[in-house]
């Protein structure tokens, strides 16, 4: 393993049974049944480390990953797509999020 991730916390809906073994990734997986809606996973996941990564169930943690850090301070970078990209405006929910954000910070 060539990355800093020691564990995957898999957030599950309350009605989904956890498997005994998750072989989809090289990192140990700990299933956890959520008690709040899925959009609250960022706040509700039982993570006890200073730095972590959040993704959805379409991803697997590979044996090797390259993580972007700032030079010298080694703080992780958070990549983002500017709201002006055409990709964003193809989706009504993205467009609405941009409109709401611009009300707060024009």
């Amino acid at each position: 393993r060539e990355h800093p991730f020691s564990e995957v916390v898999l957030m599950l809906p309350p009605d989904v049974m956890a498997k005994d073994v998750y072989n989809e990734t090289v990192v140990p997986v700990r299933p956890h049944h959520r008690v709040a809606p899925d959009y609250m996973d960022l706040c509700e996941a039982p993570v006890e480390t200073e730095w972590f990564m959040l993704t959805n169930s379409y991803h697997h943690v590979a044996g090797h990953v390259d993580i972007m850090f700032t030079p010298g301070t080694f703080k992780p970078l958070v990549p983002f797509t500017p709201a002006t990209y055409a990709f964003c405006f193809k989706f009504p929910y993205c467009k609405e999020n941009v409109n709401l954000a611009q009300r707060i910070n024009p």
Side-chain angles (χ1 to χ4, degrees), residues 38-86:
D38 60 356
Y39 58 82
M40 294 295 294
D41 284 353
L42 177 62
C43 300
E44 298 291 326
V47 177
E48 298 178 12
T49 59
E50 182 179 3
W51 301 106
F52 63 94
M53 181 176 73
L54 178 71
T55 187
N56 60 28
S57 61
Y58 299 116
H59 296 86
H60 302 277
V61 180
H64 173 84
V65 294
D66 292 316
I67 302 172
M68 297 185 299
F69 290 92
T70 56
T73 60
F74 298 106
K75 290 185 179 179
L77 296 177
V78 178
F80 70 97
T81 302
T84 55
Y85 278 29

Side-chain angles (χ1 to χ4, degrees), residues 19 21-27 29 59-61:
K19 296 192 291 186
V21 178
Y22 290 88
N23 294 327
E24 294 88 1
T25 181
V26 298
V27 179
V29 175
H59 296 86
H60 302 277
V61 180

